[in-house]
Amino acid sequence: MSLAFRPITHLRHVGIAVPSYRQAVDFYQNVWGLTPVAQDSGVTFFGTPADPEHYILRVREDRQKRLDLIAFAADSPTDVDLLAERLIDRQIKIDRDPDKLSTPGGGYGLRFFDPDGRLIEVSADVELRPYRQLEAKESIPQKLSHVVINTTNVHATKAFYEDVLGFRLSDWLGDFMCFMRSGPQHHILAISQAPSHSLNHISFEMRGIDEYMRGTGRMIRHGHRPLWGPGRHGAGDNTFSYFLDPFDNIIEYTTELEIVDEDTWEPSVYDPASPDTQDQWGTGGAMTEVMLPIMLKTRDDVGLWTPSPM
Ligand SMILES: [Fe+2]
């Protein structure tokens, strides 16, 4: 048994801010398929009936679009405290010291900035919500699957998530994108080399192939054609349909993301030039013309190194 410090258990939620708040709430509820579980003035917390996580997306009203934070779960308040010590040791900028959280579900957590200035929250003891299995054909997200971030130095950012937060490498795509896990799910985080520090995409897991296709179809019927997909990636073996939300955030429906045996898993390097790496099915179309320029943003996200107002 390794003595490495591995405090992160899973991905909890992502917080975004948008200027057109009403439009965002309507989109994420009525088109994307999330359920508002709590609301305050200018912020809505979205969950899904299929996940015990209190909420998986937080949408806040602000003058400018920004990424507010990415939140991961830790096993215990002790791990949150140990993480704080580690952050102090390594002179990492802490935004909020470990304390009780006042967001829905409560808990105990801290916030800090990763090396690119992204605000990260790590929390434990967050109350779970009652949940149920989704029914066949119920094409709403069942949980948050993974988040992909862009950085100008993929190796430095990867090293931070490994050394400080205990993430493990699952696979590389060429030498520019790495898939990181905190448990058997092939990735909950991927890090991509890009011209900027920015959000690449947020991915939501569907119940299965049928529900993922129905969700994809619902988006098309609402006028949101996939940027890329439906298709099936090589690394992670997951299906993908990528869309833009009304604020140009890339969001993904996925399903069947690979579960790995952590004792035996060896990372491999997927060849980006191979058609099967991009899309095993060959149904997704070319990613290079439309998708790549949108994913690899040239401008940094708004809000780096800046605490979120809530
Ligand atoms: Fe993805």
Side-chain angles (χ1 to χ4, degrees):
M1 171 110 174
S2 164
L3 295 174
F5 182 54
R6 294 177 167 183
I8 305 302
T9 56
H10 61 281
L11 180 62
R12 282 201 198 281
H13 60 262
V14 175
I16 58 173
V18 291
S20 310
Y21 173 66
R22 291 281 149 222
Q23 188 190 3
V25 171
D26 177 63
F27 171 81
Y28 276 105
Q29 179 174 357
N30 297 315
V31 183
W32 196 244
L34 298 177
T35 307
V37 293
Q39 272 168 323
D40 209 334
S41 58
V43 63
T44 299
F45 299 88
F46 288 98
T48 144
D51 191 39
E53 202 54 50
H54 221 83
Y55 59 98
I56 61 173
L57 181 74
R58 185 184 103 172
V59 177
R60 189 177 62 79
E61 182 172 27
D62 208 330
R63 279 177 299 125
Q64 277 185 297
K65 176 181 118 173
R66 65 169 271 181
L67 172 67
D68 270 353
L69 55 84
I70 300 172
F72 297 103
D75 217 19
S76 65
T78 307
D79 277 358
V80 171
D81 288 335
L82 287 171
L83 176 60
E85 283 174 25
R86 177 170 283 228
L87 295 171
I88 291 163
D89 270 357
R90 295 173 195 213
Q91 299 180 313
I92 289 154
K93 192 175 168 197
I94 294 181
D95 170 43
R96 292 187 188 175
D97 289 326
D99 203 351
K100 287 207 166 92
L101 300 179
S102 56
T103 32
Y108 181 79
L110 85 173
R111 286 183 185 177
F112 58 93
F113 295 99
D114 80 2
D116 302 330
R118 234 168 259 110
L119 187 60
I120 304 295
E121 182 175 282
V122 174
S123 60
D125 278 0
V126 176
E127 198 179 292
L128 299 182
R129 291 196 320 131
Y131 68 106
R132 63 172 176 82
Q133 304 271 317
L134 292 181
E135 306 283 340
K137 303 184 184 181
E138 208 176 349
S139 58
I140 59 175
Q142 67 176 10
K143 64 174 234 182
L144 196 56
S145 172
H146 58 272
V147 176
V148 180
I149 55 177
N150 291 326
T151 176
T152 59
N153 189 339
V154 66
H155 293 285
T157 302
K158 168 180 174 282
F160 173 87
Y161 280 90
E162 286 172 330
D163 299 343
V164 178
L165 294 174
F167 279 76
R168 281 83 77 192
L169 173 69
S170 287
D171 284 313
W172 274 103
L173 175 56
D175 58 359
F176 58 86
M177 187 169 178
C178 57
F179 299 88
M180 311 296 294
R181 68 179 189 278
S182 67
Q185 182 175 309
H186 180 272
H187 58 281
I188 61 168
L189 175 74
I191 306 167
S192 186
Q193 181 72 31
S196 65
H197 299 135
S198 48
L199 179 65
N200 185 303
H201 69 270
I202 309 170
S203 181
F204 297 80
E205 184 186 295
M206 307 299 268
R207 179 179 180 272
I209 296 281
D210 181 71
E211 293 77 12
Y212 145 83
M213 285 302 289
R214 286 169 187 271
T216 300
R218 180 178 59 246
M219 285 291 285
I220 292 170
R221 284 175 174 168
H222 278 88
H224 302 272
R225 300 210 65 85
L227 287 174
W228 189 30
R232 184 165 207 136
H233 287 311
D237 198 30
N238 55 314
T239 68
F240 62 86
S241 293
Y242 294 97
F243 303 93
L244 284 178
D245 81 358
F247 318 97
D248 289 349
N249 296 302
I250 302 180
I251 49 178
E252 177 186 22
Y253 281 145
T254 191
T255 194
E256 296 193 352
L257 181 58
E258 191 165 11
I259 301 298
V260 307
D261 177 352
E262 288 212 270
D263 293 333
T264 57
W265 185 260
E266 292 292 339
S268 40
V269 178
Y270 281 79
D271 174 7
S274 155
D276 276 358
T277 296
Q278 300 290 348
D279 179 6
Q280 298 181 59
W281 288 344
T283 51
M287 72 99 65
T288 42
E289 282 162 33
V290 179
M291 185 71 179
L292 213 54
I294 296 176
M295 271 189 160
L296 301 181
K297 298 167 185 168
T298 51
R299 285 208 316 228
D300 281 354
D301 278 350
V302 172
L304 297 177
W305 300 111
T306 310
S308 169
M310 68 163 297

